Amino acid sequence: PHGATTTAVDAASAMGCGVSTASHAPMRQLVLLGGGECGKTTIFKQIQILYGTGFEQTSMDWIYAIHRAPARAVKVVLQAVKNRSEEYSLSEANAEAAERCLDQHQSAMSLTQEAAEDMTAIWNDPAVQALLTKDATLDLDDNAKYFMNKLQQLAKPSYRPSTEDILNVRDPTRTIETLDFQYHKAKFRVIDVGGQRMERPKWNLTGDITAVIFVCALTEYNQVLREDVKQNRLKESLNLFDIACNRRYPDKPIILFLNKADLFRQKIEQTDLSVCFPNYKGGCNYDPALAYIKQKFLNIRKDKGKEIYMYETTATDSSNMEKIIVAMMDIVQKQNLEQSGFN
């Protein structure tokens, strides 16, 4: 879609690794799986920053997606204000700004200074701030506050997306994207496959896999799918994990990223996990809630001896992800050696 497409980048040369002495060795393929909006593509971007060519050359390709983020956030809050008009109403001064935001600013190809001012005024309106504080069910993207706080900067003609902006922008995967790179002397390919339901038939096109990286957003426990409002997102993730772990890749190592740990820590203080799992009795506390979710995933394994490597992740946090990705690569290396009889 934008700068994320890195089909078969030979990152070895970009990293100055030169020619691999393991060039005859088979490529180790890691597949990224999970539901829509779980953060898979952000993890793919982090691997691209660590081992690929990063985004220096392609940062301007992301401008449109970044400019759409605040426009989408304002549209969501204005719709919510309209749906709850008995409780909330915008100040008179912002009513006209709201009309512009729902009309010309939504269809604009880029973010103008006027649009940024209108959106800022609406976001700061007392009714919108009250709504943001009280309503846990608002369908805002996780990055909404991040981009709303940068609106004035985003609207400047001189604006260039930073790596952090690119990591935070949501850009659904609609194709199979691959990234080739070298880690120590081994060659790797990471495959990112779309998580929305209509993208999942592509899960069968991933070929021979060395290991599965399954991503679940911890924050999903009180959210529903965009494509099926009757289905809870965390329960959908557990169903997908069953397919990946027991049916699609029963003999492959599985690395489970429990993502958006930072947002989960905030959310669990306000919204009890029992909204998703009535048998959960740990209250609004991070550690018991996390342990309960981990156990839910472990219970799905048909082969109880199968090890699941679990990590709590914040995919947008580069220092957190660098340590975890390095640990993950070492697990894959070790597993590969054991399967080859070199343990």
Side-chain angles (χ1 to χ4, degrees):
H2 302 279
T5 309
T6 322
T7 308
V9 168
D10 181 10
S13 56
M15 294 163 66
C17 296
V19 178
S20 165
T21 54
S23 55
H24 59 282
M27 180 87 73
R28 286 156 200 196
Q29 298 209 97
L30 312 177
V31 64
L32 271 164
L33 299 179
E37 297 175 65
C38 63
K40 278 186 304 85
T41 300
T42 309
I43 290 162
F44 185 81
K45 290 176 193 169
Q46 289 283 17
I47 296 170
Q48 194 171 336
I49 291 162
L50 280 172
Y51 301 116
T53 51
F55 296 103
E56 278 296 308
Q57 304 304 314
T58 58
S59 67
M60 296 306 283
D61 296 349
W62 294 85
I63 287 239
Y64 179 73
I66 288 168
H67 280 180
R68 296 305 304 150
R72 201 162 50 236
V74 167
K75 188 177 180 182
V76 168
V77 295
L78 286 176
Q79 191 61 52
V81 167
K82 185 180 171 188
N83 292 347
R84 301 167 181 73
S85 53
E86 323 78 56
E87 291 175 78
Y88 304 106
S89 60
L90 297 174
S91 66
E92 222 171 290
N94 288 335
E96 286 179 26
E99 281 183 35
R100 289 193 294 273
C101 281
L102 290 172
D103 183 24
Q104 66 211 53
H105 301 335
Q106 283 297 327
S107 55
M109 292 302 287
S110 63
L111 188 69
T112 63
Q113 202 63 50
E114 184 200 19
E117 283 163 16
D118 283 345
M119 289 177 191
T120 301
I122 286 164
W123 193 255
N124 293 331
D125 188 281
V128 170
Q129 284 301 308
L131 182 77
L132 290 169
T133 308
K134 290 179 191 166
D135 194 338
T137 62
L138 269 182
D139 188 25
L140 279 172
D141 290 345
D142 294 326
N143 62 22
K145 287 178 184 168
Y146 174 87
F147 285 114
M148 291 305 295
N149 290 336
K150 297 187 74 165
L151 261 174
Q152 300 308 318
Q153 186 189 338
L154 301 183
K156 286 179 180 167
S158 58
Y159 166 70
R160 281 188 74 86
S162 67
T163 295
E164 193 180 5
D165 295 342
I166 293 167
L167 285 170
N168 274 281
V169 74
R170 181 174 164 256
D171 192 40
T173 308
R174 305 209 189 281
T175 56
I176 294 179
E177 295 183 23
T178 62
L179 173 69
D180 291 0
F181 63 93
Q182 200 165 310
Y183 179 75
H184 295 163
K185 290 184 178 177
K187 288 187 174 181
F188 282 86
R189 170 171 292 160
V190 176
I191 305 165
D192 181 19
V193 190
Q196 265 85 8
R197 282 183 174 177
M198 63 185 195
E199 301 297 330
R200 289 180 206 155
K202 294 173 186 165
W203 288 21
N204 296 318
L205 306 175
T206 49
D208 188 30
I209 295 301
T210 310
V212 175
I213 306 163
F214 191 93
V215 186
C216 162
L218 290 165
T219 48
E220 296 176 329
Y221 67 93
N222 70 336
Q223 296 174 320
V224 293
L225 298 184
R226 285 185 195 270
E227 59 266 53
D228 178 3
V229 294
K230 293 190 183 74
Q231 176 63 324
N232 175 280
R233 284 195 195 181
L234 183 51
K235 289 180 177 173
E236 177 88 346
S237 279
L238 289 162
N239 292 342
L240 293 179
F241 188 75
D242 176 28
I243 293 166
C245 180
N246 298 321
R247 287 183 261 168
R248 187 80 184 81
Y249 304 107
D251 57 339
K252 302 297 180 190
I254 294 198
I255 297 151
L256 175 60
F257 282 178
L258 297 167
N259 195 32
K260 305 189 184 181
D262 56 332
L263 300 174
F264 178 66
R265 194 176 283 279
Q266 294 165 23
K267 182 181 271 195
I268 198 68
E269 290 177 3
Q270 310 293 327
T271 308
D272 197 303
L273 186 62
S274 61
V275 298
C276 181
F277 303 116
N279 292 336
Y280 169 74
K281 300 290 185 264
C284 291
N285 300 300
Y286 180 84
D287 290 330
L290 177 66
Y292 193 89
I293 292 171
K294 283 182 174 179
Q295 196 56 50
K296 281 279 179 193
F297 278 96
L298 288 173
N299 290 348
I300 283 170
R301 296 168 303 172
K302 289 205 168 90
D303 172 4
K304 298 304 179 194
K306 183 182 176 80
E307 191 163 4
I308 308 290
Y309 302 92
M310 292 192 191
Y311 295 94
E312 296 110 69
T313 59
T314 298
T316 51
D317 178 343
S318 295
S319 60
N320 167 265
M321 287 310 301
E322 182 170 3
K323 294 187 197 90
I324 287 168
I325 290 166
V326 166
M328 174 192 84
M329 303 298 289
D330 289 337
I331 286 168
V332 174
Q333 292 274 60
K334 181 171 167 283
Q335 284 277 343
N336 223 49
L337 287 172
E338 284 173 7
Q339 285 166 6
S340 312
F342 289 109
N343 53 329

